[in-house]
Amino acid sequence: MGDGIFGPTMDLMRSEPMQLVQLIIPIESAYRTISYLGDLGLFQFNDLNAEKSPFKRTYAAQIKRCAEMARKLRFFKEQMKKAGLSPTKSLRSGDVDLDRLEVALGELESELIEINSNNEMLQHTYNELSEYKLVLQKAGELFHSAQNSVAAQQSELEAYNTAEASIDSALLLEQEMTMDPSKQVKLGYISGLVAREKAMAFERILFRATRGNVFLKQSVLENAVVDPVSGDKVEKNVFIVFYSGERAKNKILKLCEGFGANRYPFMEDLNKQFQIISQVSGRLAELKTTIDAGLAHWSNLLQTIGFEFEQWNFLVKKEKSIYHTLNMLNMDVTKKCLVAEGWCPVFATDQIQNGLRRATLDSSSQIGAIFHVLQTKDSPPTYFRTNKFTSAFQEIVDAYGVAKYQEANPSVYTIVTYPFLFAVMFGDWGHGICLLLATLYFIFREKKLSSQKLGDIMEMAFSGRYVIMMMAIFSIYTGLIYNEFFSVPFELFGLSAYGCHDQSCGDASTAVLVKVRATYPFGLDPKWHGTRSELPFLNSMKMKMSILFGVAQMNLGIIISYFNAKFFGDNINIWYQFVPQMIFLNSLFGYLSLLIIVKWCTGSQADLYHVMIYMFLSPTDDLDDNQLFFGQKFFQILLLLSALAAVPWMLLPKPFLLKKQHEERFQGQSYARLDSSDYSPEIEPHSVSHNHEEFEFSEVFVHQLIHTIEFVLGAVSNTASYLRLWALSLAHSELASVFYDKVLLLSWGYNSILARSIGLIVFIFATVGVLLVMETLSAFLHALRLHWVEFQNKFYVGDGYKFYPFSFASLGEDGE
């Protein structure tokens, strides 16, 4: 095959021929062999130890070792994320010794843990000292105000001949003014911080627990502080509780502990207060410098790790995947070789054998690996070689179901039919150009965008960029046929074929138009747009086009089923499924398509609804004005009889033929020669058990009955389903016309820049939001349904399973 602009041109019609291979690998070269096969990415290993627990397999210890290194790398990634760093893609590709890497990762983890531990301890101390400083400042303000209150009350206290009032009595002056000064006692106090949201509950419970025998003062902090315990910023209040007696003190301490209030010591002496504040401030400055230095060292260490992270991460994943694959291999009886089984494409045989020889040489093994093809009746995996252009179309098909091995691949046809059916519903070359510009942006920047995280929606659009490009190109084509550019017609391919013959042309009716020149060469004549006759004409044209496209695609599906049956040598399905299905479908809907084409070509006024209805109700009646060609009546009776005959043709012969085929095969196998070339010891037990299975005729007959009913009813419902092409095309055209006429032109009728600007903005947002996003998604989903249900159910089984080779290229970023 040649190379195209999108990479190698691949044969997508059938999946690649596959073979089941057995590899016998010497133990000394097993690691390198698996490594080379992983680089090649064309061998799918079968698990030969499925019955064994993962912990009892040969290389469980190595996998555990890799898992531990992967845990350390995840720890590094979390730390880098916490520091706002991201791993740098390393340009170096040199080999890294796994033993040295394990030691290096352990040392780096220990260093990071130590740095984090020291930083947490320093940060805890810093936060505690910060709170202590705030307590000293706020509590000092409370005591300072108390001293001023003492001086103001001296004159009142002289009448009682009391001693100099203490600071405590000033703070409790409201309760003690009527007391005998000689009976005053020394009060204790507790200071600290409590969360503001808990302050009211703290005060209320404190009052109840001590029966009101305490005095509480609080001061609100303007800014939130970092809590030393949780490390979170919390809004807090500074409090001082005055109490009398040890019993009250114990209750207060328990309440502080219960409410998470941090307690700090406090001195009454102002000089000591200033001295402690000065010491705390100096200590905070030292801690700040130490913490900053630790954070700088932490950041530098993480940056160093970030430069090597991608390489280390890939190496650990690679090692783990190699040992995981080695655990799928069997040890032979001599304990000197490993036995592997798996699937590979036939074209990869030479590449795999070259890799085996290379592994033998590099590991200095005296014995080479053995490559042996096994015979099997197991269904092989399905593998299509795709490129960046065809892969998106293949994903659309695989979302419905993976093709059975060697089954015809619908994606070959989907590359053309899918964007075309989308464009039939989305036909507007202005909107198509907008889609094309958007997808060209993705295509021209695909190398840069492929390495970025784009989000779910953008990632989906980027992965389907070539599908959208094809949809846009086909939309431009159908838009030119519909002659619509944001619903506005243009005379792109010449002048209109019609002109006015009087002044009543303003009535916007084609009845006053006459043909003055040759037919408009391509697409719809621009004069037809905006006339009262346009909608019925477009209705009729698009409805009939939808039927033609639907019948053509369903016929294509049945034809593909014929080639499928021929490829697998299934003559029963050729004669008793393909032939009657073609006869039934085309006797009815193929004939309807023929009538549509004949009517367009002849300009007949025949009523096709009447023709098709009375073809069933009164097939022998004369057609009169509805006759389109000579012999139509006889032809219709012949088609009707053919359609009726096709139903029992599909239903009855196939079950009996399958039964006969089963009996002949069983009889032939029972008396087969022992030296038959088809004999294979590996597959004989399976084939014997299979051949002795009884043939359930009733089950096969019921299945065929269901299949026949499904096809007969589906032929009607599927044809009707294609009318969605007509409905969505008209809806898209009418929506575009409404936005243009009722928004843009209406606002342009005002002689105001503001009104025109608002109208233009609304038109742009409506066009983008509704027509380019919602309508695109709607047409996309309807085209998807037409392919999955109406097209693929004619031939596609889709019960296969994908080929998943062991490949280092498939190791995802977060994969294990």
Side-chain angles (χ1 to χ4, degrees):
M1 296 292 179
D3 286 353
I5 61 171
F6 300 112
T9 305
M10 306 301 179
D11 183 10
L12 286 175
M13 181 60 73
R14 304 282 175 185
S15 61
E16 291 291 336
M18 306 293 289
Q19 57 188 357
L20 181 64
V21 174
Q22 184 183 67
L23 303 178
I24 302 176
I25 311 169
I27 288 182
E28 58 269 19
S29 64
Y31 178 89
R32 289 187 179 272
T33 299
I34 301 301
S35 179
Y36 289 146
L37 291 178
D39 290 330
L40 184 61
L42 289 172
F43 195 94
Q44 175 180 313
F45 287 90
N46 294 337
D47 191 356
L48 302 180
N49 298 311
E51 73 284 352
K52 287 187 179 180
S53 168
F55 304 103
K56 295 181 180 180
R57 299 197 183 192
T58 307
Y59 297 94
Q62 287 82 351
I63 290 180
K64 184 178 179 181
R65 176 191 179 194
C66 293
E68 179 63 19
M69 287 190 284
R71 182 197 62 78
K72 294 174 182 177
L73 288 170
R74 289 195 299 271
F75 170 70
F76 296 158
K77 192 172 183 178
E78 291 172 0
Q79 292 293 305
M80 285 188 285
K81 185 177 180 181
K82 187 177 178 181
L85 302 174
S86 58
T88 304
K89 290 193 174 182
S90 178
L91 298 178
R92 295 183 298 172
S93 58
D95 293 334
V96 180
D97 184 72
L98 193 66
D99 295 329
R100 293 182 180 178
L101 177 60
E102 184 178 21
V103 174
L105 294 180
E107 293 175 351
L108 290 170
E109 183 189 30
S110 300
E111 187 174 358
L112 275 175
I113 291 175
E114 183 179 0
I115 291 174
N116 290 337
S117 177
N118 293 336
N119 185 61
E120 288 175 4
M121 182 179 62
L122 291 172
Q123 195 67 46
H124 179 80
T125 305
Y126 182 85
N127 294 334
E128 281 187 337
L129 290 176
S130 298
E131 286 194 346
Y132 187 27
K133 183 178 179 180
L134 290 172
V135 169
L136 291 173
Q137 291 173 344
K138 292 296 182 180
E141 293 176 2
L142 292 174
F143 273 84
H144 182 68
S145 63
Q147 287 181 337
N148 295 335
S149 178
V150 168
Q153 300 297 331
Q154 284 296 331
S155 57
E156 298 180 15
L157 296 176
E158 288 177 357
Y160 297 95
N161 298 320
T162 60
E164 182 179 358
S166 67
I167 297 178
D168 299 342
S169 62
L171 290 171
L172 299 172
L173 183 62
E174 293 85 350
Q175 286 82 4
E176 297 179 350
M177 285 186 62
T178 58
M179 291 177 56
D180 186 356
S182 61
K183 295 181 180 180
Q184 292 180 3
V185 295
K186 185 68 175 179
L187 297 178
Y189 55 85
I190 296 174
S191 59
L193 292 96
V194 66
R196 191 172 303 168
E197 61 182 10
K198 300 178 181 179
M200 294 299 295
F202 178 68
E203 182 176 358
R204 185 165 54 251
I205 295 178
L206 187 65
F207 180 82
R208 292 176 181 175
T210 60
R211 298 183 180 181
N213 292 321
V214 294
F215 182 69
L216 175 67
K217 281 285 187 178
Q218 295 192 63
S219 178
V220 177
L221 296 177
E222 293 80 5
N223 301 319
V225 296
V226 180
D227 187 77
V229 178
S230 65
D232 300 327
K233 281 195 172 185
V234 182
E235 292 183 341
K236 292 188 175 185
N237 291 352
V238 174
F239 69 87
I240 302 179
V241 183
F242 293 91
Y243 63 88
S244 176
E246 287 296 321
R247 188 174 180 181
K249 178 181 179 181
N250 292 333
K251 290 182 178 181
I252 295 169
L253 293 176
K254 290 181 179 179
L255 286 173
C256 289
E257 185 177 349
F259 278 86
N262 299 328
R263 296 175 288 106
Y264 297 97
F266 182 77
M267 300 295 179
E268 292 186 35
D269 188 274
L270 293 178
N271 292 329
K272 290 184 178 181
Q273 290 179 24
F274 292 138
Q275 183 180 358
I276 294 174
I277 290 175
S278 177
Q279 292 176 355
V280 170
S281 299
R283 178 63 176 154
L284 284 172
E286 294 175 1
L287 284 174
K288 180 66 175 173
T289 303
T290 306
I291 290 172
D292 290 343
L295 289 175
H297 178 56
W298 177 67
S299 179
N300 292 334
L301 183 60
L302 290 176
Q303 286 181 355
T304 304
I305 293 174
F307 291 130
E308 306 285 348
F309 182 84
E310 291 292 342
Q311 186 180 5
W312 293 347
N313 194 37
F314 179 77
L315 176 62
V316 171
K317 288 180 180 179
K318 179 179 176 180
E319 291 291 319
K320 187 175 180 181
S321 64
I322 290 174
Y323 286 116
H324 176 73
T325 303
L326 286 170
N327 271 339
M328 299 169 71
L329 276 56
N330 261 343
M331 187 79 69
D332 75 329
V333 291
T334 64
K335 304 292 183 182
K336 294 182 179 180
C337 293
L338 292 173
V339 179
E341 284 186 12
W343 297 96
C344 69
V346 174
F347 74 84
T349 300
D350 292 339
Q351 295 171 273
I352 293 174
Q353 290 178 339
N354 289 336
L356 297 178
R357 286 192 289 267
R358 181 183 170 193
T360 302
L361 293 174
D362 291 349
S363 58
S364 301
S365 175
Q366 300 298 322
I367 304 173
I370 299 175
F371 181 94
H372 176 57
V373 179
L374 300 176
Q375 300 298 321
T376 180
K377 288 189 177 180
D378 293 338
S379 179
T382 301
Y383 174 49
F384 294 105
R385 284 192 285 175
T386 59
N387 51 44
K388 61 184 179 181
F389 177 77
T390 59
S391 60
F393 293 96
Q394 189 64 53
E395 288 298 324
I396 290 175
V397 174
D398 290 345
Y400 175 83
V402 179
K404 190 171 63 176
Y405 178 65
Q406 294 282 286
E407 182 181 12
N409 186 12
S411 66
V412 178
Y413 313 96
T414 302
I415 293 173
V416 176
T417 59
Y418 188 87
F420 177 73
L421 291 185
F422 170 89
V424 171
M425 297 179 277
F426 196 78
D428 188 301
W429 61 280
H431 298 152
I433 289 174
C434 293
L435 278 183
L436 184 61
L437 292 176
T439 193
L440 287 178
Y441 170 79
F442 285 133
I443 292 173
F444 290 143
R445 304 193 64 187
E446 62 183 12
K447 289 186 178 179
K448 182 178 181 181
L449 294 175
S450 60
S451 61
Q452 298 178 357
K453 290 185 177 180
L454 303 176
D456 294 338
I457 297 178
M458 290 296 292
E459 183 68 33
M460 190 182 303
F462 176 73
S463 61
R465 58 195 180 278
Y466 291 106
V467 177
I468 300 174
M469 181 190 72
M470 294 293 289
M471 288 158 47
I473 293 173
F474 276 90
S475 296
I476 294 173
Y477 169 73
T478 55
L480 292 173
I481 291 178
Y482 297 159
N483 200 354
E484 291 187 2
F485 178 82
F486 296 99
S487 78
V488 180
F490 285 89
E491 295 181 336
L492 292 177
F493 303 99
L495 297 176
S496 171
Y498 297 91
C500 298
H501 66 79
D502 55 33
Q503 295 182 354
S504 62
C505 285
D507 192 31
S509 172
T510 52
V512 297
L513 294 176
V514 293
K515 192 169 183 179
V516 296
R517 58 181 65 90
T519 303
Y520 193 69
F522 186 83
L524 188 66
D525 193 295
K527 285 290 186 181
W528 280 85
H529 280 274
T531 65
R532 286 199 299 266
S533 303
E534 175 199 9
L535 190 57
F537 171 75
L538 286 178
N539 259 325
S540 177
M541 181 191 73
K542 292 185 177 180
M543 180 178 67
K544 293 171 182 175
M545 281 175 52
S546 301
I547 294 174
L548 293 177
F549 292 148
V551 173
Q553 191 174 38
M554 288 190 291
N555 272 287
L556 175 63
I558 298 175
I559 292 172
I560 297 172
S561 72
Y562 163 77
F563 286 109
N564 253 346
K566 188 174 182 181
F567 180 82
F568 290 110
D570 188 358
N571 292 323
I572 293 178
N573 273 332
I574 291 177
W575 290 106
Y576 301 101
Q577 181 169 310
F578 163 74
V579 174
Q581 284 181 355
M582 287 293 289
I583 292 175
F584 181 85
L585 180 66
N586 290 294
S587 294
L588 302 179
F589 301 104
Y591 176 61
L592 175 60
S593 302
L594 175 65
L595 292 180
I596 291 172
I597 295 173
V598 170
K599 183 177 178 179
W600 278 350
C601 294
T602 61
S604 172
Q605 299 298 316
D607 186 356
L608 299 186
Y609 297 106
H610 184 278
V611 172
M612 293 303 298
I613 290 173
Y614 283 92
M615 176 180 173
F616 292 91
L617 297 180
S618 302
T620 59
D621 290 353
D622 292 333
L623 297 174
D624 298 328
D625 295 336
N626 293 318
Q627 182 166 333
L628 291 167
F629 55 89
F630 176 76
Q632 182 178 350
K633 175 183 172 181
F634 174 76
F635 188 56
Q636 288 184 175
I637 295 174
L638 181 63
L639 291 178
L640 184 60
L641 293 176
S642 300
L644 293 176
V647 176
W649 191 353
M650 278 188 284
L651 173 61
L652 299 176
K654 185 175 178 180
F656 291 98
L657 291 172
L658 288 176
K659 182 180 181 181
K660 181 181 178 182
Q661 187 183 68
H662 176 82
E663 291 173 350
E664 291 177 352
R665 183 189 301 118
F666 177 73
Q667 184 178 6
Q669 290 289 340
S670 299
Y671 298 99
R673 291 179 56 185
L674 292 178
D675 58 349
S676 173
S677 59
D678 293 332
Y679 177 78
S680 175
E682 292 86 3
I683 63 174
E684 184 65 21
H686 177 270
S687 62
V688 169
S689 62
H690 176 75
N691 289 329
H692 279 79
E693 291 180 2
E694 293 185 4
F695 183 82
E696 297 289 344
F697 178 80
S698 59
E699 182 178 342
V700 174
F701 186 84
V702 170
H703 179 270
Q704 187 63 22
L705 176 63
I706 294 173
H707 180 76
T708 303
I709 295 174
E710 182 183 10
F711 178 81
V712 171
L713 297 180
V716 179
S717 63
N718 292 350
T719 305
S721 183
Y722 276 95
L723 293 176
R724 70 184 68 236
L725 299 173
W726 156 55
L728 267 74
S729 175
L730 285 179
H732 184 86
S733 177
E734 289 302 306
L735 276 174
S737 179
V738 167
F739 291 151
Y740 179 74
D741 294 335
K742 304 301 182 183
V743 177
L744 189 62
L745 290 186
L746 186 63
S747 64
W748 227 252
Y750 293 95
N751 191 18
S752 169
I753 297 178
L754 179 61
R756 292 182 176 183
S757 300
I758 293 175
L760 181 61
I761 292 172
V762 172
F763 174 77
I764 292 174
F765 276 93
T767 300
V768 173
V770 177
L771 297 177
L772 294 182
V773 177
M774 295 179 63
E775 279 287 304
T776 299
L777 181 60
S778 175
F780 181 91
L781 294 176
H782 282 284
L784 191 66
R785 183 243 154 77
L786 289 176
H787 278 78
W788 280 0
V789 180
E790 279 71 29
F791 175 52
Q792 292 181 189
N793 72 348
K794 302 294 184 297
F795 67 95
Y796 190 57
V797 179
D799 61 351
Y801 63 101
K802 270 189 176 182
F803 175 61
Y804 287 107
F806 172 62
S807 173
F808 297 141
S810 63
L811 294 177
E813 182 180 351
D814 299 322
E816 290 298 328

